[in-house]
Structures are given as structure tokens and as C-alpha cells.
Amino acid sequence: MSHKAFVFDAYGTLFDVHAAVRQHAGEAGPDGQALSEIWRAKQLEYSWIRAMTGTYRDFWQLTEEALDYAFQKVPSVDRSLRQRLLDAYWKLDCYPEVPGVLKALKQKGARLAILSNGSPAMLEAAARSSGLDLLLDDIFSVDPLRTFKTKFEVYDLVSANWKLYPEAVSFQSSNRWDIAGASHFGFHTVWINRTGQPDEYADMPASLILPSLDGLVTAM
């Protein structure tokens, strides 16, 4: 492998952000997927606004606020599900290929970490419930910086703590805007385009595009 350090975004890349609503699909009803999509979109939007305005709130609070907004937008979903959906978010399913890919990278001597907007408690809970904590060398949260991606200092958490030049790090994310920020910082970037979205940010391209994490080991 040309890279020995592999860093992964968490939500949408390792962990399925729609798993919480899917666990309660029967109770959420036909509009559950719409609720989940709005929940995720607002969670991200709130992080960008907080980063731009310098008015930090941790990612768990933004997750709660985004769900409350989603319930307002989709009133057909019973609001009594709120606490159960939030509880489920602490134990999101990881995508099926994730454990095997991380294990294969680890066996090849790679150093592995998460770099995420998530709060430390959220990330530790998700990694522990999926068993990924046994494979990761580090979990980097934005929380000590009190800001969010795509701020340069977020990506520099990896370079500074691991004492690596950015180009020595392969960064994987399912979020194209995250890939743009990481590419601009100098990371080797792999966009995990799980849903077949069109490319954008042509001046900040991904180094590689994959439909899932499958293929990452051989591509490197």
C-alpha cells in the first residue's frame, strides 16, 4: 500500500445514518424515510452554520435539534418516537463491508482512525457497539476545537497528532463536501459515493471514487 494511515469520516461512511429510523420503520410509517432524510440534511446544515458563525454546539445537540425540525416538517410521523430514535442513533449499524475492510487494512500494517463532527461520546458508543473500537488506533472528534468540518484545523487534528504530512494520509468520506475540504487541506481523498451522486467541486477533486469501501485495500 502507498498509504499507511487511513482516516474515515463516521456518519454515512462507516455508520448508516438512516439505520435509526429504519429500526422503527413500522411505527414511523410510509413517511419515515422522508423524516430520516430531513433529519440528516438539517444535522449537516446546522454544523455548517455553527462553524461559519462561531456559535458552537456539540454534534449531539445539533442531532436533537435536527430531529425536532424533521418532526415539524413530517407531522405524519408520531413524535412519541423521538426518544427511541435518539437512543438508536447511539448504536447505528455500520455498513456490511466496513469491519472486513478495516481488518484487512489493519493486517497490512495500516494505522486507522475516525475523524468526525460527532461528539466523543457519540463516536465511542458507535465504534463500541459495532466492534470497530478494536480496530481503530484513534478517534478524532472536532469537539476540542469547538468547530466543524470543513475548517482546516479539523483535518489538521490528524496531521498534528500523528505527525504526518497531509499527503501521507488517505481520507475516506461519503460526503462530497467533506472530500472537497480534505482535498483542499492536502489529504489523499477517497469519495465513497454510496448513492451514485453526481460529482461536484471540480477544483477540489477526490483522488479516487468508490461505490463502497470494498476495493479500498486493493486500490491502495
Side-chain angles (χ1 to χ4, degrees):
M1 294 186 298
S2 58
H3 292 83
K4 289 294 186 182
F6 288 79
V7 178
F8 300 83
D9 170 62
Y11 298 110
T13 304
L14 299 180
F15 306 114
D16 184 351
V17 295
H18 300 295
V21 173
R22 193 166 56 245
Q23 287 178 30
H24 300 280
E27 295 161 284
D31 293 331
Q33 184 59 36
L35 179 98
S36 191
E37 296 286 351
I38 293 168
W39 185 9
R40 173 58 171 170
K42 284 296 173 179
Q43 181 194 50
L44 293 176
E45 179 187 323
Y46 292 169
S47 74
W48 299 330
I49 296 300
R50 293 290 169 180
M52 287 189 289
T53 59
T55 52
Y56 181 76
R57 291 182 179 176
D58 78 28
F59 203 61
W60 181 246
Q61 187 170 353
L62 301 189
T63 300
E64 292 180 305
E65 292 172 355
L67 179 56
D68 289 337
Y69 177 87
F71 275 120
Q72 293 181 65
K73 287 289 287 185
V74 191
S76 57
V77 179
D78 188 350
R79 193 179 174 85
S80 68
L81 282 173
R82 181 183 187 275
Q83 191 57 53
R84 279 176 283 171
L85 293 179
L86 291 172
D87 290 344
Y89 211 91
W90 287 83
K91 296 181 179 181
L92 292 176
D93 298 331
C94 66
Y95 289 98
E97 81 279 9
V98 169
V101 170
L102 266 58
K103 187 176 294 185
L105 289 170
K106 196 73 175 175
Q107 289 172 344
K108 288 179 175 289
R111 202 170 180 183
L112 307 179
I114 284 173
L115 174 64
S116 173
N117 282 340
S119 69
M122 289 175 70
L123 296 170
E124 288 164 11
R128 185 168 56 252
S129 68
S130 62
L132 299 186
D133 58 326
L134 302 176
L135 298 169
L136 295 167
D137 296 292
D138 271 307
I139 297 177
F140 297 109
S141 166
V142 301
D143 198 59
L145 301 176
R146 299 184 66 78
T147 191
F148 295 103
K149 297 172 180 176
T150 58
K151 292 286 190 176
F152 261 40
E153 54 263 42
V154 172
Y155 303 107
D156 193 47
L157 278 170
V158 176
S159 295
N161 279 276
W162 281 4
K163 302 187 186 319
L164 292 172
Y165 289 112
E167 58 267 25
V169 176
S170 180
F171 178 74
Q172 290 65 228
S173 179
S174 65
N175 301 300
R176 185 60 181 89
W177 55 268
D178 192 12
I179 289 295
S183 295
H184 189 45
F185 178 72
F187 284 159
H188 172 94
T189 53
V190 182
W191 180 27
I192 308 303
N193 187 7
R194 293 188 180 278
T195 56
Q197 296 299 307
D199 201 3
E200 51 189 339
Y201 310 114
D203 59 326
M204 294 177 282
S207 310
L208 178 66
I209 302 173
L210 295 172
S212 75
L213 286 169
D214 280 329
L216 182 63
V217 179
T218 54
M220 295 295 110

